[in-house]
Amino acid sequence: MDFIIGDLVTRRSHKHDIIFRIGSIEGETAILHGEDLRLEADAPLSDLEKVADREIERYLETEKEQVDYSFRLFRQDYQLMKEKRNYEASDGYQKQSYFQLPARVLHLDGDRNYLKKCIDLYQRIGLQVHGLHILEADMPAEIAGLIKRIQPDLLVITGHDAYSEKRGSKKDLKAYRHSKYFVEAVREARRVESNLDQLVIFAGACQSHFQSIIRAGANFASSPSRVNIHALDPVYITAKLAYTSFMDKVTVSDVLRNTLTGEKGLGGIETRGFLRTGMPYLTEE
C-alpha cells in the first residue's frame, strides 16, 4: 500500500488504538503524529493501515462531541466567573459598566495542525493569542527573544512527545522524545521572568516528563501518569487562568475541570489569575 504525508493511519501491532497522521516518511519508516493526541511515534510502513472514509467521519463526529462537551463546561464556568465579577464591580447592589484588560497569550506549538486547532478554540473562547509554529528542538533558542518582544502573561510550550521503554526508565529524561526541549525552553523562559505569577507557563505534550518540567519552572505541565493528552487541553488551562481575577488563586483541580484529559495527564501548582477589571466603561465618540 502506498502512503503519503498527511494520510490518516492506524498501527496493526497496536490493534488500531490511535489514529495518527503521517508527518514524514524516512525510508520504510513513518514518523506519526496523533491526530488529536499530542503523541509522536514511528512505525514500519508495513505495520500501517489507512483509515477508511467512514471511520474518519465517525472519528470526527466523536471528536466534535468531546470538544463541544468540554466547551459547554467551560462556558458554564465562565458564566459563574462573569456573575461574580459583575457583583464585585457593582458592590453587589447596582449595575455598573466596566472594562476588562485581557491577558496576553503566547502559544508555541511543534505541530502546525494542532496550532491551528488551538487558535480556532482560543477565538471561540474569546482570547487573543500570538501563535507560532516552532519545532520542539528549536524552542529553547527562540523562547527568550519572543518573550522580550511579545511580553506575554501566559506562555504555552507544547507539541509532540512520547516515552520509550527501550531508551530507559520513566525517570530518565533521555527516554523521552522531546521532554528535554520543553525543560530547556521553560528554563530559558524563567531566565527572562522568574516570577511564577507574572509569567504563567504550561509546557509538555503526551507522556512528557512532568516532574522535570515543573522543576524547571512551569506552573502547569504534562504528564504525571505518562498518559496521552488531548491537543486542546492547553487552551482550556490558559482560558481558565485568563478569565480568573488576579485577586483569586486558581487551584489545580479548578484548572483541570474543563480539560479533556484530567489529572492523570495534567498537573501543576496553584496560580493567580490574570483578569483585571476597571471602570467606568466609555464608548468611543
Side-chain angles (χ1 to χ4, degrees), residues 37 75 101 115 152 234:
L37 299 174
R75 291 295 300 177
L101 297 179
L115 179 61

Side-chain angles (χ1 to χ4, degrees), residues 8 19 35 51-65:
L8 294 181
I19 294 180
E35 181 61 11
V51 181
D53 290 343
R54 63 179 180 276
E55 290 298 323
I56 294 176
E57 291 177 4
R58 189 179 307 162
Y59 155 77
L60 291 174
E61 185 177 342
T62 302
E63 170 71 2
K64 185 177 184 303
E65 289 176 356

Side-chain angles (χ1 to χ4, degrees), residues 148-218:
K148 292 174 182 177
R149 178 162 58 90
I150 298 170
Q151 298 184 335
D153 302 305
L154 294 155
L155 172 64
V156 178
I157 306 170
T158 191
H160 299 285
D161 207 354
Y163 163 70
S164 174
E165 289 184 354
K166 297 178 182 179
R167 298 181 180 181
S169 70
K170 290 185 177 181
K171 296 180 181 180
D172 189 353
L173 198 59
K174 296 179 181 178
Y176 298 80
R177 284 180 181 266
H178 292 144
S179 288
K180 63 180 179 180
Y181 301 125
F182 296 137
V183 169
E184 291 171 7
V186 171
R187 283 178 180 156
E188 292 299 321
R190 285 297 173 215
R191 288 192 176 99
V192 179
E193 177 51 73
S194 60
N195 191 308
L196 293 174
D197 288 319
Q198 293 296 320
L199 177 65
V200 171
I201 302 175
F202 171 90
C206 282
Q207 304 176 15
S208 291
H209 197 288
F210 170 79
Q211 293 91 326
S212 292
I213 297 173
I214 290 294
R215 283 198 296 267

Side-chain angles (χ1 to χ4, degrees), residues 236-275:
Y236 285 115
I237 290 177
T238 301
K240 176 65 177 180
L241 292 160
Y243 282 121
T244 298
S245 169
F246 80 102
M247 297 291 288
D248 299 329
K249 68 178 181 181
V250 181
T251 66
V252 179
S253 59
D254 288 337
V255 167
L256 301 187
R257 187 177 297 123
N258 300 324
T259 63
L260 292 155
T261 302
E263 63 183 14
K264 287 188 176 181
L266 303 161
I269 59 175
E270 61 182 13
T271 304
R272 288 195 175 277
F274 274 98
L275 189 69

